[in-house]
Amino acid sequence: MKDTQENAVPAQAAVADHSPAAGSDGLEAASERIADLEIRLAAAEDLVETLNLALFRQQQQLDLLQGQLRHLHRQMSNAADANAAGAPRNARDEIPPHY
């Protein structure tokens, strides 16, 4: 008989843990966690948008620089072809070293 009384006390304690007051604390904690996660998500989305814009601008700069490099390469090729063909040199193309 004594064993059943000892077993009854933990069962009552377990029922007390599931009281409405204990449940509202859990809901508040869950609500706080959800709010924290929503704040973190908003910050992450803002960061992704900022990084996306930076990447877009860098790609534009890269495209511009590649176009300029192609243009310079063509100029150098044309100048090398003109020099190889024995074309007369223009004095304006020759810049003195002190300039």
Side-chain angles (χ1 to χ4, degrees):
M1 185 88 163
K2 191 173 184 180
D3 290 334
T4 54
Q5 288 177 351
E6 287 176 8
N7 291 339
V9 173
Q12 289 173 355
V15 171
D17 288 343
H18 296 294
S19 67
S24 66
D25 288 339
L27 288 177
E28 287 178 23
S31 294
E32 287 178 18
R33 288 189 66 210
I34 289 172
D36 183 51
L37 290 173
E38 287 174 343
I39 291 169
R40 288 181 185 200
L41 177 63
E45 287 174 343
D46 184 51
L47 179 61
V48 166
E49 184 64 30
T50 301
L51 292 173
N52 189 34
L53 181 60
L55 182 62
F56 175 74
R57 288 180 180 159
Q58 286 178 349
Q59 186 62 48
Q60 285 181 322
Q61 289 176 336
L62 184 60
D63 293 341
L64 176 67
L65 290 171
Q66 284 176 335
Q68 290 174 345
L69 182 61
R70 278 192 292 275
H71 178 71
L72 288 172
H73 187 268
R74 271 187 253 120
Q75 281 183 338
M76 295 297 291
S77 294
N78 291 341
D81 291 343
N83 286 337
R89 299 178 94 172
N90 188 348
R92 290 184 6 197
D93 293 339
E94 297 294 326
I95 298 175
H98 62 278
Y99 275 35

